[in-house]
Amino acid sequence: MVRRCTRFTYVVVFLMVCAALVSVTNIGQLSVFLRTKLHDVYGSDTGLYSTRFKLRGNLSLEYCQAVPDSLVGRLNIDIDAALQSAPPLEHQDVSPGGVWSPKSCVARQWIAIIIPFRDRQKHLDILVYNLVPVLKRQKVSFRYGNKTFNKGRLMNIGFTEAQKHDEFDCFIFHDVDLIPEDDRNMYTCSDNPRHMSPALDKFNYTMLYKGLVGGVLSFRGKHFTKVNGYSNLFWGWGAEDDDMHKRLFAAKLSVERPSITIGRYKMIKHDRKDVSPVRLDLLKTSIARYLKDGLNTLEYKLVETRLEKLYTRIIANVGDPPKNQTEHPL
Ligand code: UDP
Ligand code: MN
């Protein structure tokens, strides 16, 4: 029974932050350069922001800068040290469930970060420890969720549950083991879905293949709905991201990416378990299947929603894989 729970009960973590951080040293010069760079990368990311933050926030405040002066650029991430001693999760200004607002300006977007995870609490702690300061420096507002295998199903649950908590402008689907190495990689949404993690240390900071959208992927809600979310049929490791790439293609959505100097992540080392034997077969039907398999056919049981110090954890049961995986219903 315990084994079963470990295997098929998943967790979603939500962190809600509306951010603004104090300054950092050594910014002036860097931020001018960054601003230019980011405009090159993301094009015009204006006019998309909801007005409700203005309504929620202090009316006398201006919107936060699209690329704030508080960025520091390349970060020095030491994963081995973090694995040795669990990092402290201290952010007094973040309310339970992970809620935080900028004091000096009004955040432009309300973001849900959805992290699928199972049995990797330590990875989650390290990610949250590293990500919260980045989000604060970026002055984005976010909320953040987390779960695991069936990963696609968990992402869909995160998307669905997140919206019961708040209205979001932006959803970021985020592997638990990827730690951002550069805060110029903005945790926001632009006009197109954006694959934020093209350069991993594991692959020498090169993009493995052209259609890669795994790792960290941001979406406007309407775009995620347009592709019908992720497939619910990929059990175990592999290919749900490649299936998503085909969905994006079928829905005629193009994918943006930051440059590989900015879209850099360190991956926390781990074993690979439960490789899906049918993943490549499923990929053959992605385009024909995408409107019949996804958000509109999602089934799960919500087990618990818990307000943690820096995030909201949502535990959901996603059910069991079919006995014979080749006999999927579509
Ligand atoms: N994951 C998890 N527990 C697992 C398997 C996967 O939390 O047992 C989540 C976690 O967010 C992880 C993501 O699914 O980052 C992708 O799985 P994994 O890291 O094993 O695959 P990789 O992308 O490294 O090949
Ligand atoms: Mn991984």
Side-chain angles (χ1 to χ4, degrees), residues 205-241:
Y205 300 107
T206 55
M207 212 168 96
L208 258 201
Y209 53 97
K210 204 164 158 260
L212 183 72
V213 292
V216 185
L217 185 61
S218 78
F219 276 96
R220 298 256 163 212
K222 63 178 181 198
H223 291 150
F224 195 68
T225 309
K226 192 170 182 201
V227 298
N228 198 19
Y230 281 88
S231 166
N232 297 310
L233 300 179
F234 287 77
W235 292 92
W237 180 88
E240 71 287 324
D241 299 322

PDB file of all heavy atoms in Angstrom, residues 205-241:
ATOM      1  N   TYR A 205      25.609  22.504 -22.327  1.00  0.00           N
ATOM      2  CA  TYR A 205      24.945  23.748 -22.700  1.00  0.00           C
ATOM      3  C   TYR A 205      24.663  23.854 -24.192  1.00  0.00           C
ATOM      4  O   TYR A 205      24.719  24.938 -24.774  1.00  0.00           O
ATOM      5  CB  TYR A 205      25.747  24.967 -22.211  1.00  0.00           C
ATOM      6  CG  TYR A 205      25.912  24.982 -20.716  1.00  0.00           C
ATOM      7  CD1 TYR A 205      27.137  24.695 -20.117  1.00  0.00           C
ATOM      8  CD2 TYR A 205      24.836  25.257 -19.883  1.00  0.00           C
ATOM      9  CE1 TYR A 205      27.284  24.684 -18.738  1.00  0.00           C
ATOM     10  CE2 TYR A 205      24.968  25.254 -18.506  1.00  0.00           C
ATOM     11  CZ  TYR A 205      26.191  24.966 -17.940  1.00  0.00           C
ATOM     12  OH  TYR A 205      26.329  24.958 -16.583  1.00  0.00           O
ATOM     13  N   THR A 206      24.402  22.719 -24.829  1.00  0.00           N
ATOM     14  CA  THR A 206      23.959  22.772 -26.220  1.00  0.00           C
ATOM     15  C   THR A 206      22.555  22.194 -26.256  1.00  0.00           C
ATOM     16  O   THR A 206      22.188  21.390 -25.397  1.00  0.00           O
ATOM     17  CB  THR A 206      24.847  21.913 -27.141  1.00  0.00           C
ATOM     18  OG1 THR A 206      24.869  20.581 -26.603  1.00  0.00           O
ATOM     19  CG2 THR A 206      26.255  22.444 -27.225  1.00  0.00           C
ATOM     20  N   MET A 207      21.780  22.598 -27.279  1.00  0.00           N
ATOM     21  CA  MET A 207      20.427  22.061 -27.356  1.00  0.00           C
ATOM     22  C   MET A 207      20.492  20.696 -28.022  1.00  0.00           C
ATOM     23  O   MET A 207      20.995  20.568 -29.125  1.00  0.00           O
ATOM     24  CB  MET A 207      19.537  23.015 -28.140  1.00  0.00           C
ATOM     25  CG  MET A 207      18.119  22.983 -27.631  1.00  0.00           C
ATOM     26  SD  MET A 207      17.154  24.302 -28.292  1.00  0.00           S
ATOM     27  CE  MET A 207      16.382  23.479 -29.650  1.00  0.00           C
ATOM     28  N   LEU A 208      19.963  19.684 -27.342  1.00  0.00           N
ATOM     29  CA  LEU A 208      20.142  18.306 -27.797  1.00  0.00           C
ATOM     30  C   LEU A 208      19.565  18.054 -29.183  1.00  0.00           C
ATOM     31  O   LEU A 208      20.163  17.417 -30.014  1.00  0.00           O
ATOM     32  CB  LEU A 208      19.441  17.360 -26.824  1.00  0.00           C
ATOM     33  CG  LEU A 208      20.291  16.613 -25.820  1.00  0.00           C
ATOM     34  CD1 LEU A 208      19.533  15.404 -25.325  1.00  0.00           C
ATOM     35  CD2 LEU A 208      21.644  16.201 -26.399  1.00  0.00           C
ATOM     36  N   TYR A 209      18.340  18.530 -29.406  1.00  0.00           N
ATOM     37  CA  TYR A 209      17.726  18.383 -30.725  1.00  0.00           C
ATOM     38  C   TYR A 209      16.738  19.506 -30.929  1.00  0.00           C
ATOM     39  O   TYR A 209      16.330  20.186 -29.982  1.00  0.00           O
ATOM     40  CB  TYR A 209      17.070  17.008 -30.895  1.00  0.00           C
ATOM     41  CG  TYR A 209      16.080  16.625 -29.806  1.00  0.00           C
ATOM     42  CD1 TYR A 209      14.721  16.819 -29.980  1.00  0.00           C
ATOM     43  CD2 TYR A 209      16.522  16.062 -28.613  1.00  0.00           C
ATOM     44  CE1 TYR A 209      13.819  16.466 -28.992  1.00  0.00           C
ATOM     45  CE2 TYR A 209      15.629  15.701 -27.612  1.00  0.00           C
ATOM     46  CZ  TYR A 209      14.276  15.903 -27.818  1.00  0.00           C
ATOM     47  OH  TYR A 209      13.395  15.565 -26.828  1.00  0.00           O
ATOM     48  N   LYS A 210      16.367  19.697 -32.205  1.00  0.00           N
ATOM     49  CA  LYS A 210      15.641  20.899 -32.590  1.00  0.00           C
ATOM     50  C   LYS A 210      14.277  21.047 -31.894  1.00  0.00           C
ATOM     51  O   LYS A 210      13.908  22.132 -31.481  1.00  0.00           O
ATOM     52  CB  LYS A 210      15.473  20.904 -34.108  1.00  0.00           C
ATOM     53  CG  LYS A 210      15.284  22.267 -34.683  1.00  0.00           C
ATOM     54  CD  LYS A 210      15.519  22.296 -36.187  1.00  0.00           C
ATOM     55  CE  LYS A 210      14.819  23.507 -36.778  1.00  0.00           C
ATOM     56  NZ  LYS A 210      13.532  23.165 -37.395  1.00  0.00           N
ATOM     57  N   GLY A 211      13.549  19.965 -31.767  1.00  0.00           N
ATOM     58  CA  GLY A 211      12.191  20.075 -31.220  1.00  0.00           C
ATOM     59  C   GLY A 211      12.109  19.954 -29.707  1.00  0.00           C
ATOM     60  O   GLY A 211      11.044  19.685 -29.153  1.00  0.00           O
ATOM     61  N   LEU A 212      13.222  20.201 -29.029  1.00  0.00           N
ATOM     62  CA  LEU A 212      13.227  20.026 -27.571  1.00  0.00           C
ATOM     63  C   LEU A 212      12.358  21.088 -26.876  1.00  0.00           C
ATOM     64  O   LEU A 212      12.545  22.285 -27.092  1.00  0.00           O
ATOM     65  CB  LEU A 212      14.665  20.155 -27.069  1.00  0.00           C
ATOM     66  CG  LEU A 212      14.906  19.942 -25.588  1.00  0.00           C
ATOM     67  CD1 LEU A 212      14.747  18.471 -25.241  1.00  0.00           C
ATOM     68  CD2 LEU A 212      16.306  20.401 -25.199  1.00  0.00           C
ATOM     69  N   VAL A 213      11.392  20.655 -26.090  1.00  0.00           N
ATOM     70  CA  VAL A 213      10.630  21.611 -25.270  1.00  0.00           C
ATOM     71  C   VAL A 213      10.539  21.126 -23.821  1.00  0.00           C
ATOM     72  O   VAL A 213       9.737  21.641 -23.037  1.00  0.00           O
ATOM     73  CB  VAL A 213       9.207  21.890 -25.826  1.00  0.00           C
ATOM     74  CG1 VAL A 213       9.259  22.656 -27.131  1.00  0.00           C
ATOM     75  CG2 VAL A 213       8.392  20.614 -25.976  1.00  0.00           C
ATOM     76  N   GLY A 214      11.360  20.149 -23.457  1.00  0.00           N
ATOM     77  CA  GLY A 214      11.331  19.627 -22.082  1.00  0.00           C
ATOM     78  C   GLY A 214      12.104  20.519 -21.127  1.00  0.00           C
ATOM     79  O   GLY A 214      12.901  21.337 -21.548  1.00  0.00           O
ATOM     80  N   GLY A 215      11.849  20.353 -19.846  1.00  0.00           N
ATOM     81  CA  GLY A 215      12.590  21.099 -18.826  1.00  0.00           C
ATOM     82  C   GLY A 215      11.777  22.209 -18.227  1.00  0.00           C
ATOM     83  O   GLY A 215      11.091  22.022 -17.221  1.00  0.00           O
ATOM     84  N   VAL A 216      11.832  23.385 -18.851  1.00  0.00           N
ATOM     85  CA  VAL A 216      11.058  24.530 -18.361  1.00  0.00           C
ATOM     86  C   VAL A 216      10.355  25.165 -19.563  1.00  0.00           C
ATOM     87  O   VAL A 216      11.011  25.557 -20.530  1.00  0.00           O
ATOM     88  CB  VAL A 216      11.969  25.574 -17.669  1.00  0.00           C
ATOM     89  CG1 VAL A 216      11.134  26.706 -17.065  1.00  0.00           C
ATOM     90  CG2 VAL A 216      12.829  24.915 -16.587  1.00  0.00           C
ATOM     91  N   LEU A 217       9.045  25.243 -19.499  1.00  0.00           N
ATOM     92  CA  LEU A 217       8.261  25.708 -20.657  1.00  0.00           C
ATOM     93  C   LEU A 217       7.165  26.648 -20.166  1.00  0.00           C
ATOM     94  O   LEU A 217       6.389  26.289 -19.292  1.00  0.00           O
ATOM     95  CB  LEU A 217       7.650  24.469 -21.348  1.00  0.00           C
ATOM     96  CG  LEU A 217       6.880  24.645 -22.633  1.00  0.00           C
ATOM     97  CD1 LEU A 217       7.749  25.243 -23.743  1.00  0.00           C
ATOM     98  CD2 LEU A 217       6.330  23.287 -23.111  1.00  0.00           C
ATOM     99  N   SER A 218       7.119  27.857 -20.732  1.00  0.00           N
ATOM    100  CA  SER A 218       6.089  28.806 -20.273  1.00  0.00           C
ATOM    101  C   SER A 218       4.996  28.988 -21.329  1.00  0.00           C
ATOM    102  O   SER A 218       5.264  28.949 -22.527  1.00  0.00           O
ATOM    103  CB  SER A 218       6.722  30.157 -19.926  1.00  0.00           C
ATOM    104  OG  SER A 218       7.005  30.908 -21.089  1.00  0.00           O
ATOM    105  N   PHE A 219       3.797  29.175 -20.826  1.00  0.00           N
ATOM    106  CA  PHE A 219       2.609  29.271 -21.679  1.00  0.00           C
ATOM    107  C   PHE A 219       1.654  30.343 -21.190  1.00  0.00           C
ATOM    108  O   PHE A 219       1.376  30.406 -19.985  1.00  0.00           O
ATOM    109  CB  PHE A 219       1.752  27.999 -21.523  1.00  0.00           C
ATOM    110  CG  PHE A 219       2.118  26.841 -22.348  1.00  0.00           C
ATOM    111  CD1 PHE A 219       2.919  25.841 -21.832  1.00  0.00           C
ATOM    112  CD2 PHE A 219       1.638  26.717 -23.633  1.00  0.00           C
ATOM    113  CE1 PHE A 219       3.225  24.724 -22.582  1.00  0.00           C
ATOM    114  CE2 PHE A 219       1.938  25.594 -24.391  1.00  0.00           C
ATOM    115  CZ  PHE A 219       2.735  24.604 -23.869  1.00  0.00           C
ATOM    116  N   ARG A 220       1.058  31.074 -22.066  1.00  0.00           N
ATOM    117  CA  ARG A 220      -0.182  31.774 -21.740  1.00  0.00           C
ATOM    118  C   ARG A 220      -1.259  30.702 -21.551  1.00  0.00           C
ATOM    119  O   ARG A 220      -1.252  29.691 -22.279  1.00  0.00           O
ATOM    120  CB  ARG A 220      -0.615  32.663 -22.900  1.00  0.00           C
ATOM    121  CG  ARG A 220       0.378  33.729 -23.217  1.00  0.00           C
ATOM    122  CD  ARG A 220      -0.097  35.063 -22.691  1.00  0.00           C
ATOM    123  NE  ARG A 220       1.019  35.964 -22.641  1.00  0.00           N
ATOM    124  CZ  ARG A 220       1.145  36.920 -21.735  1.00  0.00           C
ATOM    125  NH1 ARG A 220       0.230  37.096 -20.811  1.00  0.00           N
ATOM    126  NH2 ARG A 220       2.177  37.719 -21.741  1.00  0.00           N
ATOM    127  N   GLY A 221      -2.204  30.934 -20.660  1.00  0.00           N
ATOM    128  CA  GLY A 221      -3.253  29.948 -20.423  1.00  0.00           C
ATOM    129  C   GLY A 221      -3.992  29.578 -21.698  1.00  0.00           C
ATOM    130  O   GLY A 221      -4.275  28.408 -21.962  1.00  0.00           O
ATOM    131  N   LYS A 222      -4.271  30.573 -22.532  1.00  0.00           N
ATOM    132  CA  LYS A 222      -5.052  30.298 -23.756  1.00  0.00           C
ATOM    133  C   LYS A 222      -4.276  29.376 -24.697  1.00  0.00           C
ATOM    134  O   LYS A 222      -4.851  28.582 -25.424  1.00  0.00           O
ATOM    135  CB  LYS A 222      -5.446  31.597 -24.463  1.00  0.00           C
ATOM    136  CG  LYS A 222      -4.281  32.405 -24.959  1.00  0.00           C
ATOM    137  CD  LYS A 222      -4.708  33.663 -25.712  1.00  0.00           C
ATOM    138  CE  LYS A 222      -3.422  34.365 -26.173  1.00  0.00           C
ATOM    139  NZ  LYS A 222      -3.528  35.718 -26.541  1.00  0.00           N
ATOM    140  N   HIS A 223      -2.949  29.475 -24.680  1.00  0.00           N
ATOM    141  CA  HIS A 223      -2.150  28.599 -25.544  1.00  0.00           C
ATOM    142  C   HIS A 223      -2.118  27.175 -24.998  1.00  0.00           C
ATOM    143  O   HIS A 223      -2.172  26.211 -25.756  1.00  0.00           O
ATOM    144  CB  HIS A 223      -0.722  29.142 -25.693  1.00  0.00           C
ATOM    145  CG  HIS A 223      -0.669  30.412 -26.487  1.00  0.00           C
ATOM    146  ND1 HIS A 223       0.278  31.386 -26.285  1.00  0.00           N
ATOM    147  CD2 HIS A 223      -1.483  30.872 -27.476  1.00  0.00           C
ATOM    148  CE1 HIS A 223       0.062  32.381 -27.129  1.00  0.00           C
ATOM    149  NE2 HIS A 223      -1.000  32.103 -27.856  1.00  0.00           N
ATOM    150  N   PHE A 224      -2.030  27.072 -23.669  1.00  0.00           N
ATOM    151  CA  PHE A 224      -2.021  25.727 -23.069  1.00  0.00           C
ATOM    152  C   PHE A 224      -3.362  25.044 -23.347  1.00  0.00           C
ATOM    153  O   PHE A 224      -3.430  23.851 -23.628  1.00  0.00           O
ATOM    154  CB  PHE A 224      -1.747  25.815 -21.567  1.00  0.00           C
ATOM    155  CG  PHE A 224      -1.371  24.487 -20.956  1.00  0.00           C
ATOM    156  CD1 PHE A 224      -0.175  23.869 -21.280  1.00  0.00           C
ATOM    157  CD2 PHE A 224      -2.232  23.850 -20.067  1.00  0.00           C
ATOM    158  CE1 PHE A 224       0.177  22.629 -20.725  1.00  0.00           C
ATOM    159  CE2 PHE A 224      -1.896  22.625 -19.507  1.00  0.00           C
ATOM    160  CZ  PHE A 224      -0.694  22.019 -19.833  1.00  0.00           C
ATOM    161  N   THR A 225      -4.437  25.817 -23.278  1.00  0.00           N
ATOM    162  CA  THR A 225      -5.763  25.258 -23.576  1.00  0.00           C
ATOM    163  C   THR A 225      -5.862  24.898 -25.054  1.00  0.00           C
ATOM    164  O   THR A 225      -6.438  23.881 -25.429  1.00  0.00           O
ATOM    165  CB  THR A 225      -6.858  26.288 -23.214  1.00  0.00           C
ATOM    166  OG1 THR A 225      -6.613  26.722 -21.883  1.00  0.00           O
ATOM    167  CG2 THR A 225      -8.240  25.681 -23.302  1.00  0.00           C
ATOM    168  N   LYS A 226      -5.274  25.712 -25.896  1.00  0.00           N
ATOM    169  CA  LYS A 226      -5.339  25.456 -27.337  1.00  0.00           C
ATOM    170  C   LYS A 226      -4.681  24.123 -27.709  1.00  0.00           C
ATOM    171  O   LYS A 226      -5.170  23.400 -28.585  1.00  0.00           O
ATOM    172  CB  LYS A 226      -4.672  26.601 -28.099  1.00  0.00           C
ATOM    173  CG  LYS A 226      -4.929  26.566 -29.580  1.00  0.00           C
ATOM    174  CD  LYS A 226      -4.477  27.827 -30.277  1.00  0.00           C
ATOM    175  CE  LYS A 226      -4.806  27.728 -31.767  1.00  0.00           C
ATOM    176  NZ  LYS A 226      -3.994  28.625 -32.575  1.00  0.00           N
ATOM    177  N   VAL A 227      -3.576  23.783 -27.042  1.00  0.00           N
ATOM    178  CA  VAL A 227      -2.931  22.486 -27.343  1.00  0.00           C
ATOM    179  C   VAL A 227      -3.563  21.351 -26.530  1.00  0.00           C
ATOM    180  O   VAL A 227      -3.123  20.218 -26.584  1.00  0.00           O
ATOM    181  CB  VAL A 227      -1.401  22.502 -27.100  1.00  0.00           C
ATOM    182  CG1 VAL A 227      -0.724  23.512 -28.017  1.00  0.00           C
ATOM    183  CG2 VAL A 227      -1.045  22.770 -25.645  1.00  0.00           C
ATOM    184  N   ASN A 228      -4.608  21.671 -25.767  1.00  0.00           N
ATOM    185  CA  ASN A 228      -5.293  20.689 -24.913  1.00  0.00           C
ATOM    186  C   ASN A 228      -4.356  20.130 -23.835  1.00  0.00           C
ATOM    187  O   ASN A 228      -4.450  18.965 -23.455  1.00  0.00           O
ATOM    188  CB  ASN A 228      -5.892  19.562 -25.781  1.00  0.00           C
ATOM    189  CG  ASN A 228      -6.954  18.767 -25.032  1.00  0.00           C
ATOM    190  OD1 ASN A 228      -7.498  19.227 -24.022  1.00  0.00           O
ATOM    191  ND2 ASN A 228      -7.238  17.558 -25.508  1.00  0.00           N
ATOM    192  N   GLY A 229      -3.440  20.964 -23.370  1.00  0.00           N
ATOM    193  CA  GLY A 229      -2.514  20.561 -22.302  1.00  0.00           C
ATOM    194  C   GLY A 229      -1.594  19.441 -22.761  1.00  0.00           C
ATOM    195  O   GLY A 229      -1.368  19.249 -23.959  1.00  0.00           O
ATOM    196  N   TYR A 230      -1.071  18.718 -21.789  1.00  0.00           N
ATOM    197  CA  TYR A 230      -0.216  17.568 -22.106  1.00  0.00           C
ATOM    198  C   TYR A 230      -1.080  16.328 -22.327  1.00  0.00           C
ATOM    199  O   TYR A 230      -2.234  16.272 -21.886  1.00  0.00           O
ATOM    200  CB  TYR A 230       0.733  17.282 -20.931  1.00  0.00           C
ATOM    201  CG  TYR A 230       1.928  18.212 -20.872  1.00  0.00           C
ATOM    202  CD1 TYR A 230       1.856  19.425 -20.190  1.00  0.00           C
ATOM    203  CD2 TYR A 230       3.129  17.874 -21.493  1.00  0.00           C
ATOM    204  CE1 TYR A 230       2.956  20.274 -20.126  1.00  0.00           C
ATOM    205  CE2 TYR A 230       4.233  18.713 -21.435  1.00  0.00           C
ATOM    206  CZ  TYR A 230       4.139  19.918 -20.750  1.00  0.00           C
ATOM    207  OH  TYR A 230       5.217  20.750 -20.699  1.00  0.00           O
ATOM    208  N   SER A 231      -0.491  15.320 -22.949  1.00  0.00           N
ATOM    209  CA  SER A 231      -1.149  14.016 -23.049  1.00  0.00           C
ATOM    210  C   SER A 231      -1.243  13.405 -21.656  1.00  0.00           C
ATOM    211  O   SER A 231      -0.355  13.573 -20.831  1.00  0.00           O
ATOM    212  CB  SER A 231      -0.338  13.091 -23.948  1.00  0.00           C
ATOM    213  OG  SER A 231      -0.803  11.757 -23.788  1.00  0.00           O
ATOM    214  N   ASN A 232      -2.328  12.663 -21.402  1.00  0.00           N
ATOM    215  CA  ASN A 232      -2.467  11.954 -20.123  1.00  0.00           C
ATOM    216  C   ASN A 232      -1.928  10.525 -20.204  1.00  0.00           C
ATOM    217  O   ASN A 232      -1.994   9.770 -19.239  1.00  0.00           O
ATOM    218  CB  ASN A 232      -3.954  11.852 -19.743  1.00  0.00           C
ATOM    219  CG  ASN A 232      -4.571  13.217 -19.514  1.00  0.00           C
ATOM    220  OD1 ASN A 232      -4.025  14.023 -18.776  1.00  0.00           O
ATOM    221  ND2 ASN A 232      -5.703  13.488 -20.163  1.00  0.00           N
ATOM    222  N   LEU A 233      -1.422  10.147 -21.373  1.00  0.00           N
ATOM    223  CA  LEU A 233      -1.169   8.715 -21.625  1.00  0.00           C
ATOM    224  C   LEU A 233       0.267   8.274 -21.420  1.00  0.00           C
ATOM    225  O   LEU A 233       0.576   7.098 -21.528  1.00  0.00           O
ATOM    226  CB  LEU A 233      -1.589   8.371 -23.059  1.00  0.00           C
ATOM    227  CG  LEU A 233      -3.064   8.618 -23.388  1.00  0.00           C
ATOM    228  CD1 LEU A 233      -3.339   8.272 -24.848  1.00  0.00           C
ATOM    229  CD2 LEU A 233      -3.960   7.794 -22.468  1.00  0.00           C
ATOM    230  N   PHE A 234       1.165   9.210 -21.136  1.00  0.00           N
ATOM    231  CA  PHE A 234       2.570   8.836 -21.003  1.00  0.00           C
ATOM    232  C   PHE A 234       2.900   8.474 -19.558  1.00  0.00           C
ATOM    233  O   PHE A 234       3.047   9.346 -18.696  1.00  0.00           O
ATOM    234  CB  PHE A 234       3.479   9.982 -21.472  1.00  0.00           C
ATOM    235  CG  PHE A 234       3.500  10.152 -22.962  1.00  0.00           C
ATOM    236  CD1 PHE A 234       2.429  10.762 -23.604  1.00  0.00           C
ATOM    237  CD2 PHE A 234       4.566   9.697 -23.720  1.00  0.00           C
ATOM    238  CE1 PHE A 234       2.429  10.923 -24.994  1.00  0.00           C
ATOM    239  CE2 PHE A 234       4.581   9.857 -25.105  1.00  0.00           C
ATOM    240  CZ  PHE A 234       3.508  10.466 -25.739  1.00  0.00           C
ATOM    241  N   TRP A 235       3.005   7.194 -19.277  1.00  0.00           N
ATOM    242  CA  TRP A 235       3.356   6.724 -17.934  1.00  0.00           C
ATOM    243  C   TRP A 235       4.841   6.445 -17.877  1.00  0.00           C
ATOM    244  O   TRP A 235       5.403   5.867 -18.805  1.00  0.00           O
ATOM    245  CB  TRP A 235       2.587   5.450 -17.590  1.00  0.00           C
ATOM    246  CG  TRP A 235       1.123   5.694 -17.441  1.00  0.00           C
ATOM    247  CD1 TRP A 235       0.178   5.584 -18.420  1.00  0.00           C
ATOM    248  CD2 TRP A 235       0.444   6.106 -16.252  1.00  0.00           C
ATOM    249  NE1 TRP A 235      -1.051   5.905 -17.919  1.00  0.00           N
ATOM    250  CE2 TRP A 235      -0.921   6.225 -16.578  1.00  0.00           C
ATOM    251  CE3 TRP A 235       0.850   6.381 -14.937  1.00  0.00           C
ATOM    252  CZ2 TRP A 235      -1.882   6.608 -15.653  1.00  0.00           C
ATOM    253  CZ3 TRP A 235      -0.097   6.760 -14.018  1.00  0.00           C
ATOM    254  CH2 TRP A 235      -1.446   6.870 -14.369  1.00  0.00           C
ATOM    255  N   GLY A 236       5.491   6.823 -16.796  1.00  0.00           N
ATOM    256  CA  GLY A 236       6.927   6.591 -16.683  1.00  0.00           C
ATOM    257  C   GLY A 236       7.705   7.621 -17.463  1.00  0.00           C
ATOM    258  O   GLY A 236       7.170   8.632 -17.928  1.00  0.00           O
ATOM    259  N   TRP A 237       8.993   7.379 -17.602  1.00  0.00           N
ATOM    260  CA  TRP A 237       9.873   8.374 -18.199  1.00  0.00           C
ATOM    261  C   TRP A 237       9.751   8.433 -19.711  1.00  0.00           C
ATOM    262  O   TRP A 237       9.718   7.407 -20.381  1.00  0.00           O
ATOM    263  CB  TRP A 237      11.340   8.058 -17.825  1.00  0.00           C
ATOM    264  CG  TRP A 237      12.281   9.058 -18.405  1.00  0.00           C
ATOM    265  CD1 TRP A 237      12.681  10.242 -17.855  1.00  0.00           C
ATOM    266  CD2 TRP A 237      12.914   8.982 -19.686  1.00  0.00           C
ATOM    267  NE1 TRP A 237      13.526  10.907 -18.712  1.00  0.00           N
ATOM    268  CE2 TRP A 237      13.681  10.154 -19.850  1.00  0.00           C
ATOM    269  CE3 TRP A 237      12.889   8.043 -20.724  1.00  0.00           C
ATOM    270  CZ2 TRP A 237      14.440  10.408 -20.983  1.00  0.00           C
ATOM    271  CZ3 TRP A 237      13.649   8.311 -21.874  1.00  0.00           C
ATOM    272  CH2 TRP A 237      14.413   9.475 -21.982  1.00  0.00           C
ATOM    273  N   GLY A 238       9.696   9.615 -20.250  1.00  0.00           N
ATOM    274  CA  GLY A 238       9.984   9.822 -21.645  1.00  0.00           C
ATOM    275  C   GLY A 238       8.879  10.273 -22.556  1.00  0.00           C
ATOM    276  O   GLY A 238       7.751   9.803 -22.496  1.00  0.00           O
ATOM    277  N   ALA A 239       9.215  11.233 -23.376  1.00  0.00           N
ATOM    278  CA  ALA A 239       8.498  11.609 -24.601  1.00  0.00           C
ATOM    279  C   ALA A 239       7.232  12.440 -24.430  1.00  0.00           C
ATOM    280  O   ALA A 239       6.680  12.900 -25.420  1.00  0.00           O
ATOM    281  CB  ALA A 239       8.212  10.387 -25.471  1.00  0.00           C
ATOM    282  N   GLU A 240       6.754  12.670 -23.197  1.00  0.00           N
ATOM    283  CA  GLU A 240       5.569  13.534 -23.103  1.00  0.00           C
ATOM    284  C   GLU A 240       5.899  14.946 -23.598  1.00  0.00           C
ATOM    285  O   GLU A 240       5.040  15.650 -24.109  1.00  0.00           O
ATOM    286  CB  GLU A 240       4.990  13.559 -21.674  1.00  0.00           C
ATOM    287  CG  GLU A 240       5.785  14.296 -20.615  1.00  0.00           C
ATOM    288  CD  GLU A 240       7.044  13.557 -20.196  1.00  0.00           C
ATOM    289  OE1 GLU A 240       6.996  12.319 -20.147  1.00  0.00           O
ATOM    290  OE2 GLU A 240       8.053  14.222 -19.941  1.00  0.00           O
ATOM    291  N   ASP A 241       7.176  15.320 -23.489  1.00  0.00           N
ATOM    292  CA  ASP A 241       7.572  16.635 -23.978  1.00  0.00           C
ATOM    293  C   ASP A 241       7.634  16.668 -25.505  1.00  0.00           C
ATOM    294  O   ASP A 241       7.285  17.669 -26.126  1.00  0.00           O
ATOM    295  CB  ASP A 241       8.942  17.015 -23.404  1.00  0.00           C
ATOM    296  CG  ASP A 241       8.900  17.079 -21.899  1.00  0.00           C
ATOM    297  OD1 ASP A 241       7.886  17.548 -21.356  1.00  0.00           O
ATOM    298  OD2 ASP A 241       9.870  16.644 -21.258  1.00  0.00           O
TER     299      ASP A 241
END
